[in-house]
Amino acid sequence: MRISIMGIGSRGDIQPSLALAQTLARRGHSIKVITHPCFADLAAGRGFDFMPLATMEGGFAGLKRRKSSIKALRSINEFWDAIDPAKRYYLEWSRQFRDLAAGSDCVIGTVLAAFLAATMGKHWKIPFIQAFFQPMMPTRAFPSIFLSNLPFELPRAYNRISHQAVNQILWSVLRPFARQSLREVWRDDETPWRSPIRPIGDPQRPTLMGFSRYVIPPPDDWDPSVEITGAWFLDRPDGWRPPDGLTAFIEDGPPPVYVGFGSMNVKDPAKIASIVLSAIAKTGSRAVISAGWGGFRPTELPSGVFAVEDVPHDWLFPRMASIVHHGGAGTTAAALRAGRPSVIIPFFADQPYWASRLRDLGVAPAALSYRELNEAALTEAAARCLKDQDMRARAARLGKLIEAENGVERAADVVERIVRSAQPSSVGASISGCSGD
């Protein structure tokens, strides 16, 4: 099978796609991953072809976000800012994705690339799969993930409406650019008015949810074509070795606390570093601090703190006592899999949702506001994660369940089933000449 996987976004959006690509490649399929060039090193040596986009080389790392005066709507407003590059590059990305994916038997689009996958499937008459790492589909079970900051709880009857409304608002931002892409790249004048983020209802066009059913139980009103597979973890490559001194540091005392904010842009790193280091010291614990793509690099470290650039979570997190992070979908899943409690300091988008979900599961204290972060609040939250034995036990049990899900293998099973069940005339057809130019 020739399968193209397309992704747009930050590391949390792309790394799971690489995990699926590696799994499918190991099963003998010809796999292309089409995304930002900055992920080339992460993809290297994993058995699939990496096809870099020619625009926005750095991906979505460190994007600046505007402040919102309405606290409850910050996640929506900041999500608009985060997808601003997609608005600027949508047309060019559409051309590149079309050309680089030509000849595929199936296309898979994750998150912001989901609509592009549907477009290719329609025009090339091949199977397509949309994938998300957050619960984006409308449901009565809970409100839209972008309304996690509401100061009140929505009545259950309004939950589904909240999803539809938010998804429609987000689609209204991208729709003009999608329309231009359809006209210029595909010679297609039909642009859907309704948000494409909804159950499709066709088992031959499934929507994959790359998160755990133990974290988000399947809502009973989701369409059967929506499949919760479990999280897609990209483990460290063969032959990987930890940085010099890290193993010795970890083993030279009780397990440290991990602190890192992934690709988030830390606006005042000196202030945040001071708060973090003071809080860790007050808990009496040690720490491993990760710079990440956001450049969180404290310049002066006490003896009980070790700084790293980028260490695979599957190796590092099980060696930690707890995980202090931003609440991105990928980091949250890795912390849960490791069976460690979290302190979540969300920045924007889906991060407040994951923070509230882990709190409800009893594996994290209430979220701490990044804008209002202070030493006392972080000290209290970090200390609770270290001392609350019930919380630690719940996190450990949940970690074992998530590990056993093997989500990326289940996702690969779905992909193989869909492609194999397609009509022979739809699979393997030559589409390399289907250019719209």
Side-chain angles (χ1 to χ4, degrees):
M1 299 178 188
R2 298 166 296 180
I3 302 169
S4 292
I5 303 175
M6 305 178 294
I8 302 169
S10 64
R11 181 165 179 168
D13 302 307
I14 308 305
Q15 185 162 316
S17 301
L18 303 183
L20 179 60
Q22 178 175 266
T23 302
L24 289 167
R26 285 175 175 171
R27 296 185 180 193
H29 305 300
S30 176
I31 308 298
K32 294 179 183 178
V33 173
I34 308 169
T35 188
H36 310 290
C38 55
F39 297 105
D41 289 344
L42 193 61
R46 296 186 182 270
F48 54 82
D49 293 329
F50 183 83
M51 315 293 287
L53 295 168
T55 48
M56 200 176 171
E57 294 185 0
F60 281 44
L63 288 176
K64 294 182 178 180
R65 294 175 298 279
R66 296 172 294 182
K67 294 182 179 179
S68 171
S69 58
I70 305 175
K71 183 177 181 180
L73 299 180
R74 278 176 180 168
S75 291
I76 296 176
N77 292 338
E78 292 176 332
F79 185 80
W80 286 349
D81 292 335
I83 65 174
D84 185 64
K87 295 185 293 184
R88 296 199 305 269
Y89 296 115
Y90 202 99
L91 178 61
E92 182 55 32
W93 281 340
S94 296
R95 291 193 178 101
Q96 292 181 53
F97 278 125
R98 179 203 62 195
D99 295 342
L100 294 173
S104 299
D105 299 322
C106 173
V107 288
I108 302 171
T110 62
V111 194
L112 289 175
F115 179 70
L116 292 172
T119 300
M120 290 179 181
K122 171 187 173 182
H123 288 87
W124 288 342
K125 295 181 173 55
I126 61 173
F128 70 88
I129 296 172
Q130 297 176 311
F132 299 92
F133 309 118
Q134 306 85 6
M136 297 291 291
M137 298 299 183
T139 177
R140 293 184 298 272
F142 49 81
S144 169
I145 63 172
F146 296 105
L147 298 179
S148 297
N149 286 330
L150 284 177
F152 54 88
E153 184 174 338
L154 283 176
R156 181 180 170 88
Y158 292 96
N159 284 342
R160 190 175 185 89
I161 296 173
S162 78
H163 285 275
Q164 293 167 335
V166 170
N167 290 347
Q168 191 63 37
I169 291 171
L170 299 178
W171 175 238
S172 71
V173 177
L174 284 177
R175 187 179 182 277
F177 307 94
R179 182 172 63 242
Q180 182 186 24
S181 165
L182 286 170
R183 286 177 175 173
E184 297 191 22
V185 178
W186 298 99
R187 302 293 186 254
D188 186 345
D189 290 326
E190 297 182 8
T191 307
W193 281 101
R194 290 182 61 195
S195 166
I197 303 176
R198 63 182 189 276
I200 297 171
D202 182 349
Q204 294 303 312
R205 297 175 178 177
T207 301
L208 299 181
M209 296 281 116
F211 49 76
S212 171
R213 64 185 56 239
Y214 298 109
V215 178
I216 305 172
D220 57 14
D221 59 347
W222 270 3
D223 189 275
S225 66
V226 180
E227 302 206 28
I228 299 179
T229 62
W232 307 354
F233 294 109
L234 182 72
D235 289 339
R236 60 190 182 276
D238 295 338
W240 180 86
R241 295 290 181 271
D244 291 343
L246 178 57
T247 301
F249 171 81
I250 292 173
E251 294 176 350
D252 189 29
V257 172
Y258 169 91
V259 183
F261 302 114
S263 58
M264 295 298 99
N265 181 29
V266 180
K267 294 181 180 179
D268 191 346
K271 176 183 176 181
I272 299 299
S274 175
I275 292 172
V276 166
L277 294 176
S278 296
I280 294 298
K282 287 192 173 182
T283 63
S285 58
R286 306 183 305 144
V288 172
I289 293 182
S290 173
W293 288 17
F296 178 57
R297 295 180 177 85
T299 54
E300 297 182 6
L301 298 177
S303 59
V305 178
F306 194 99
V308 297
E309 286 293 319
D310 184 21
V311 176
H313 290 166
D314 67 295
W315 183 91
L316 185 61
F317 282 8
R319 292 168 167 80
M320 300 292 102
S322 62
I323 315 298
V324 179
H325 59 100
H326 59 297
T331 305
T332 299
L336 289 167
R337 181 199 194 189
R340 299 294 183 264
S342 290
V343 175
I344 300 185
I345 307 171
F347 286 60
F348 78 119
D350 60 329
Q351 296 163 12
Y353 169 79
W354 292 115
S356 64
R357 190 72 199 111
L358 266 61
R359 178 203 61 204
D360 292 346
L361 290 168
V363 297
L368 301 179
S369 168
Y370 167 68
R371 294 176 179 83
E372 301 167 6
L373 188 64
N374 61 76
E375 180 184 318
L378 181 55
T379 301
E380 180 180 357
R384 183 181 172 193
C385 285
L386 296 172
K387 296 176 182 179
D388 188 331
Q389 295 306 312
D390 289 340
M391 177 183 288
R392 299 189 64 79
R394 283 191 293 269
R397 287 194 298 268
L398 185 55
K400 291 178 181 178
L401 292 172
I402 290 172
E403 179 72 29
E405 278 184 304
N406 209 350
V408 71
E409 295 288 347
R410 294 182 63 180
D413 290 342
V414 174
V415 174
E416 289 182 332
R417 185 184 76 228
I418 295 305
V419 180
R420 285 172 178 158
S421 64
Q423 294 296 323
S425 60
S426 300
V427 178
S430 174
I431 56 176
S432 59
C434 292
S435 139
D437 291 342

